Amino acid sequence: MGKIVGLTGDETAAEAMRQINPDVLAAYPITPQTEIVQNFSQFVANGVVSTEMIRVESEHSAMSACIGAAASGARAMTATSANGLALMWEICYIAASYRLPIVMPLVNRALSGPINIHCDHSDSMGARDSGWIQLYSENCQEIYDNLIQAIRIAEDKEVLLPVMVTLDGFIISHAMERVEILEDEKVTEFIGEYKNPYSLLDVDNPVTWGPLDLYDYYFEHKRQQIEAIEKAGEVIQRVGKEFKEISGRSYELMENYRLEGADLVIVAAGSTAGTVKAVVNQLREEGVKAGLLKIRAFRPFPVREVSQALKNAKAVAILDRSVSFGAEGGPIFLEIRSALFEEAKRVPVVNYIYGLGGRDIGIDEIKAVYKNLERIAQTKKIEKLVGYLGLRE
Amino acid sequence: MKEKGWKEIPLGGLILEAGNAEKYATGGWRTYRPVRDEKKCNDCLLCWVYCPDSSIIVEEAKIKGFDYEHCKGCGICSAQCPKDAIEMVEETKFVLQEKGEQ
Ligand code: SF4
Ligand code: SF4
């Protein structure tokens, strides 16, 4: 039997990593990720994991060490937040293009400046084009479940791509919740062993990693990456089903929460989805046909599934916890609005930017969004395409 | 070497065969082509020593010519030659010649 424990998001991530027992962990501390690595280093000190822990001098080095380790055939992990991810930037692209299945919890935090340590999604959204798979977690349980599945997804022969599992800084990373932990053996068996077909250390079969790749082949290698991340969609679904067999919890690319017959739909990712669910339940009791579409996989983006889920809605609001400066709306909004373009019927869609730098979002703000959706559904008029939720004028 | 499609090549830009750089033609980068005057050359092999791309072909201690598949036209051989036997000629000249336009 597994066990039920009270853990913070960071402790949950560390617990999942203890069970994964990666060969190498290279990390540098940054708020609010610090407790993940702090807890994990305790496991290393206590000898409950056999991980080689590399204390690096920066996140740039952390990701570089992970690349070296993964290329040599080791299962490598790291964890970071915000500016740490920004410092890893160029190496993140290299990890993806070398097709190394590194798994990294990313504790979402606002990017400086002005300097801020609280949650928004500007860090992960900034890395959306790096070639990494991105899975967003709503709560501690999902962090645990996503991390274990991420190993399988990343290392799938058809994928071979790095995965970041996000959790909202402080809101989830430092809040304690009830988490169901599987037996160690079950996790070990589920994730299996990582076998890189081309190990740097295999001296009998030497290969060259990282050669210059010019106009004659670079494009073809990018096409391979496109193929892999598209395939990842199916693999995420398949692994989600298999995970249900050992945990009882199933996972899709996204979660449809009370979407059947829903007229007014909010789309959200991360912890806010939990708050939206509470509002949906209240409104449903009042007879309002409210629903939630929760984005789990943002990369690959489930275009068909999303438009399928939203095409019959009367009005849709997309909540973005980050800004794409100079674009008309946040990253999730742009993606969904584009996905809906293929639908014969025009669904009215609006965008709300919210929660930047950890600005709280509560029941009242979300209710106000549903109120606005109600108005849009009645009048068929969008007064403001992109709004700001919880911002002082 | 015929260029392959994206389904035929190893993932991640890996090169699976050791020492296969020779199969990858890079001579197309050249804008100047080294041309040797056999009469001036005394086979001292200095050009062979200095060429950074191993593009001077030597057989039995004699210069046989240039490996134009890999020579980048850097001109080092020409600059080092004590006999002034290597002239750097603009590639366009050869292209035009091939087209018969002079
Ligand atoms: S031009 Fe440069 S690359 Fe070409 S043969 Fe001379 S030294 Fe070698
Ligand atoms: S350096 Fe000049 S003289 Fe010597 S072998 Fe080369 S071409 Fe001939």
Side-chain angles (χ1 to χ4, degrees), chain A residues 97 99 208 211 216-217 221 224, chain B residues 3-4 6 9 12-13 15 24:
Chain A
S97 59
R99 312 295 299 276
T208 306
D216 48 357
Y217 277 103
H221 287 123
Q224 291 180 330
Chain B
E3 287 172 345
K4 293 177 178 168
W6 65 271
I9 52 175
I15 295 175
Y24 185 65

Side-chain angles (χ1 to χ4, degrees), chain A residues 18-29:
Chain A
R18 178 188 68 73
Q19 294 186 312
I20 292 164
N21 193 10
D23 300 308
V24 170
L25 179 116
Y28 190 82

Side-chain angles (χ1 to χ4, degrees), chain B residues 34 51-53 55-56 66 71-77 88:
Chain B
C51 173
D53 276 304
S55 295
I56 311 278
F66 300 92
C71 161
K72 312 283 188 302
C74 67
I76 290 175
C77 54
M88 299 304 292

Side-chain angles (χ1 to χ4, degrees), chain A residues 97-99 157 160 198 206-217 220-221 223-224 227, chain B residues 1-19 24-25 28-29:
Chain A
S97 59
Y98 285 7
R99 312 295 299 276
K157 275 202 286 296
L160 291 172
Y198 306 109
V207 296
T208 306
W209 286 77
L212 185 67
D213 194 14
L214 300 177
Y215 39 73
D216 48 357
Y217 277 103
E220 278 68 25
H221 287 123
R223 180 65 185 84
Q224 291 180 330
E227 186 74 3
Chain B
M1 190 161 50
K2 191 185 167 295
E3 287 172 345
K4 293 177 178 168
W6 65 271
K7 291 176 188 165
E8 303 167 286
I9 52 175
L11 297 184
L14 258 64
I15 295 175
L16 306 185
E17 192 188 341
Y24 185 65
W29 304 4

Side-chain angles (χ1 to χ4, degrees), chain B residues 36-38 40-48 50 56 58 62-63 66 77-78 80-86:
Chain B
R36 186 179 58 116
D37 183 342
E38 281 178 39
K40 287 189 190 168
C41 171
N42 67 357
D43 290 309
C44 72
L45 301 191
L46 265 183
C47 54
W48 172 77
Y50 278 99
I56 311 278
V58 174
K62 296 255 183 293
I63 304 286
F66 300 92
C77 54
S78 171
Q80 291 299 330
C81 175
K83 290 286 177 190
D84 213 7
I86 300 176

